Amino acid sequence: KVALLGYDLSYPDAGSMAVTLYWQAASRMDASYTTFLHLIDPASGQIVSQTDVIPRGWSYPTNWWEVGEVVQDTVTLSLASVPPGEYALTAGWYQLENGERLPLSSSAGQSISDNALFLTSILHESQE
């Protein structure tokens, strides 16, 4: 239903990371989906920071998107309480009403485990 065309990372301050996502509607969506971004400790599998939003600051639900439309959305993850270390950044979609995740697959058509797309590894360093 939606494809990730790419993303950009920036650090507006020492305590946060901004992720700009470029999504494209592959088909018309009947439901409004919420984006999640998780920063995960790969050693424990624990989420150390997360954000969940409807695109464009809760103002542009996916059921408004037209087929082929590219939607740019910037979301911020707090790093304030994240200890130094290496983390995995993942993204995906779910329905807010029931928590059901939108199924994800690779460009080759293979299902992606946990319906969470691995974006990149992040090295978070101490701010001291």
Side-chain angles (χ1 to χ4, degrees):
K1 295 186 179 210
V2 63
L4 180 64
L5 300 179
Y7 63 92
D8 294 314
L9 301 176
S10 64
Y11 297 87
D13 56 59
S16 65
M17 174 176 61
V19 183
T20 301
L21 301 153
Y22 303 92
W23 301 104
Q24 185 172 35
S27 65
R28 184 82 177 151
M29 291 175 258
D30 295 330
S32 174
Y33 291 94
T34 301
T35 303
F36 68 85
L37 282 175
H38 292 166
L39 198 58
I40 299 172
D41 178 349
S44 67
Q46 295 296 312
I47 297 170
V48 296
S49 184
Q50 76 178 68
T51 200
D52 298 69
V53 296
I54 288 177
R56 296 186 181 162
W58 295 89
S59 70
Y60 199 48
T62 57
N63 55 335
W64 292 2
W65 298 10
E66 297 297 331
V67 175
E69 181 178 3
V70 175
V71 176
Q72 176 181 329
D73 188 35
T74 301
V75 295
T76 303
L77 280 170
S78 174
L79 300 175
S81 62
V82 176
E86 188 169 336
Y87 299 95
L89 180 63
T90 64
W93 294 91
Y94 69 95
Q95 285 187 315
L96 191 58
E97 299 77 23
N98 60 19
E100 186 176 324
R101 287 189 178 179
L102 188 63
L104 293 178
S105 59
S106 70
S107 57
Q110 296 176 317
S111 292
I112 295 176
S113 133
D114 200 25
N115 295 315
L117 179 63
F118 172 79
L119 299 180
T120 190
S121 292
I122 303 292
L123 179 60
H124 177 59
E125 298 178 352
S126 174
Q127 301 302 315
E128 296 177 17

